[in-house]
Amino acid sequence: MTTQTHTTQTHTPDHAAGRVPVALTGLVLVLAVIVAVAVNVVVAWVARGAGATPGFPPLTVPVFGAFTLVGVLVGWAGWRIIEHRSARPGRLLGWLVPVVGLLSFVPDVALGLLRFIPGATWPGVLGLMVMHVVVIVIAVPAYLIAGRPATSR
């Protein structure tokens, strides 16, 4: 008489598909936001030292902190959509990230020219533009880490 034993392997959905666990992705994105906000605090300080109006709302932590959070999350959503839908996501992202970065300057330039927010000065506007670059420079490596397959670690 022979007996057969069947074992069943269980995998979490994230590991089964080779994806980064959701908790790790969240941690990486949260850290990206924290680092970007911290660097942008310095950028705001430098902009004020260069002549930005004290109290210029976009250079305050609640305002640029909220925009940093939204920017990182929207960027991540776009990044993931492109990774899943494009046949060549690396190539597409290679030109799309700089284009989106440049387009993000349009409202800042409009602000500098039209001064539709009280206290807008060119040092303040340039500070905002630098903040966009800071978020991109920090977010893109975070996206690469957060989107890396678990098997490549």
Side-chain angles (χ1 to χ4, degrees):
M1 179 152 140
T2 60
T3 58
Q4 291 183 340
T5 313
H6 295 287
T7 58
T8 305
Q9 281 187 306
T10 58
H11 296 282
T12 62
D14 285 337
H15 293 309
R19 293 178 298 203
V20 174
V22 173
L24 181 58
T25 297
L27 177 64
V28 169
L29 296 177
V30 166
L31 289 174
V33 170
I34 291 168
V35 171
V37 168
V39 173
N40 283 337
V41 166
V42 175
V43 171
W45 179 78
V46 169
R48 282 190 294 276
T53 305
F56 177 50
L59 292 180
T60 61
V61 176
V63 175
F64 69 74
F67 277 98
T68 298
L69 174 64
V70 170
V72 168
L73 295 179
V74 169
W76 173 245
W79 186 277
R80 295 302 288 175
I81 289 168
I82 289 168
E83 281 186 330
H84 286 97
R85 304 225 178 211
S86 174
R88 300 173 97 184
R91 184 174 180 179
L92 178 57
L93 289 166
W95 68 263
L96 189 60
V97 169
V99 168
V100 170
L102 289 173
L103 289 174
S104 77
F105 295 156
V106 171
D108 297 330
V109 172
L111 174 60
L113 295 172
L114 303 174
R115 312 227 188 250
F116 53 84
I117 296 177
T121 61
W122 279 107
V125 168
L126 292 174
L128 294 175
M129 294 170 85
V130 170
M131 287 180 172
H132 291 192
V133 174
V134 165
V135 172
I136 292 167
V137 166
I138 292 169
V140 168
Y143 299 159
L144 291 170
I145 293 166
R148 181 180 302 156
T151 57
S152 70
R153 279 196 227 132

